[in-house]
């Protein structure tokens, strides 16, 4: 079992729809969680960070954390073709000990 | 500069050669990370430093890899001797701890070992 797991996809959604990306983690002590977007051939770009249970919204993006169920999700509202990328989930302790990235979910937004 | 920079961006070398990759973290950041990304393994943490001191290099093959921070504006990752299985994209990231534990990635060095 990997420390952070994601469905590799691809996840295909039509333009304008809500894309829902999910991630589970195995270490109950994890404190910090992040979503990165990575375009093909580019470096990961930080989109959202979340530390507390509940929702955190930033523009079209909402991160959700449920520590009891050990999952993190990212919702992208009004998906655009430019959102097509691989989304990496990461999590671990605040001081970076036991910090891991998931393998990523490829998202395709169809015009 | 508010970006992490890495050099070289691409490197092709032959097995057995020494490879040195360099990273300039965002000015003022005190934590620097080295990652390796491959299709098979995804993104793996190799090592990280805080205030130039190595805190964790457990992800790094010790026999051939070494990482250093000669000063606050330069981090290096060296592979000697290089092997074909080292072919990957190597990313450097930096952050400012404990104010935040967000990491910001550089553009990466794509290494091909023939």
């Amino acid at each position: 079992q990997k420390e952070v797991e994601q469905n590799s996809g691809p996840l295909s959604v039509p333009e304008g729809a809500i894309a829902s990306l999910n991630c589970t983690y195995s270490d109950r002590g994890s404190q910090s969680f992040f979503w990165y977007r990575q375009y093909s051939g580019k470096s990961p770009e930080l989109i959202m960070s979340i530390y507390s249970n509940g929702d955190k919204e930033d523009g079209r993006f909402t991160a959700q954390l449920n520590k009891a169920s050990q999952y993190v999700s990212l919702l992208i509202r009004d998906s655009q073709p430019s959102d097509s990328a691989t989304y990496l989930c990461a999590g671990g302790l605040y001081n970076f000990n036991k910090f891991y990235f998931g393998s990523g979910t490829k998202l395709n937004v169809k015009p | 500069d508010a970006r992490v920079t890495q050099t070289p961006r691409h490197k092709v070398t032959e097995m057995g050669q020494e490879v040195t990759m360099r990273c300039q973290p965002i000015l003022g950041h005190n934590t620097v990370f080295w990652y390796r990304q491959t299709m098979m393994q995804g993104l793996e943490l190799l090592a990280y430093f805080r205030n130039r001191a190595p805190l964790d290099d457990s992800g790094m093959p010790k026999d051939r890899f070494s990482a250093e921070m000669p000063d606050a504006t330069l981090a290096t990752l060296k592979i000697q001797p290089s092997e074909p299985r080292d072919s990957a994209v190597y990313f450097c990231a930096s952050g400012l701890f404990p104010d935040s534990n967000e990491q910001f990635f550089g553009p990466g060095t794509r290494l091909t070992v023939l």
Side-chain angles (χ1 to χ4, degrees):
Chain A
Q1 182 188 11
K2 291 189 175 181
E3 289 81 3
V4 176
E5 299 215 51
Q6 298 180 253
N7 188 317
S8 61
L11 173 67
S12 292
V13 300
E15 183 175 355
I18 295 175
S20 177
L21 303 159
N22 300 310
C23 165
T24 59
Y25 60 94
S26 61
D27 188 345
R28 282 197 171 275
S30 295
Q31 300 167 317
S32 315
F33 304 89
F34 304 88
W35 284 99
Y36 284 82
R37 176 176 62 199
Q38 187 174 25
Y39 293 113
S40 180
K42 301 295 186 182
S43 57
E45 174 191 7
L46 181 64
I47 298 176
M48 296 283 287
S49 57
I50 187 165
Y51 304 93
S52 305
N53 277 329
D55 295 359
K56 179 181 177 182
E57 189 174 316
D58 184 0
R60 296 186 297 112
F61 299 98
T62 299
Q64 299 174 318
L65 174 59
N66 183 321
K67 289 187 176 181
S69 301
Q70 295 177 242
Y71 82 77
V72 193
S73 62
L74 179 70
L75 301 178
I76 306 174
R77 289 181 298 281
D78 189 23
S79 296
Q80 301 296 309
S82 59
D83 294 325
S84 297
T86 295
Y87 289 79
L88 301 168
C89 173
L93 296 180
Y94 189 87
N95 66 358
F96 304 113
N97 284 341
K98 300 181 183 180
F99 189 84
Y100 302 99
F101 276 83
S103 55
T105 297
K106 186 174 176 63
L107 173 66
N108 290 328
V109 181
K110 298 175 291 185
Chain B
D1 196 341
R3 293 179 303 166
V4 176
T5 58
Q6 291 185 246
T7 56
R9 294 291 309 277
H10 301 273
K11 177 72 175 179
V12 180
T13 191
E14 294 191 345
M15 183 173 62
Q17 296 298 303
E18 178 178 299
V19 175
T20 299
M21 292 169 269
R22 293 176 174 81
C23 166
Q24 182 173 9
I26 293 173
L27 190 63
H29 280 187
N30 63 356
T31 307
V32 176
F33 306 83
W34 282 106
Y35 288 91
R36 174 171 64 183
Q37 188 174 42
T38 61
M39 289 294 292
M40 292 298 295
Q41 299 296 328
L43 200 56
E44 302 173 281
L45 178 63
L46 297 174
Y48 75 95
F49 295 76
R50 181 159 304 129
N51 298 320
R52 297 176 56 200
L55 290 190
D56 186 357
D57 61 0
S58 59
M60 207 162 64
K62 301 291 193 305
D63 56 338
R64 299 183 299 108
F65 285 59
S66 62
E68 295 180 344
M69 278 203 75
D71 62 59
T73 63
L74 177 64
T76 62
L77 179 66
K78 192 173 295 187
I79 308 174
Q80 168 63 18
S82 57
E83 297 181 1
R85 59 179 168 152
D86 300 329
S87 297
V89 181
Y90 291 81
F91 289 108
C92 174
S94 73
L96 181 59
F97 184 87
D99 300 43
S100 166
N101 69 340
E102 295 177 344
Q103 301 176 47
F104 298 90
F105 282 74
T109 294
R110 182 174 295 275
L111 174 65
T112 302
V113 183
L114 302 174

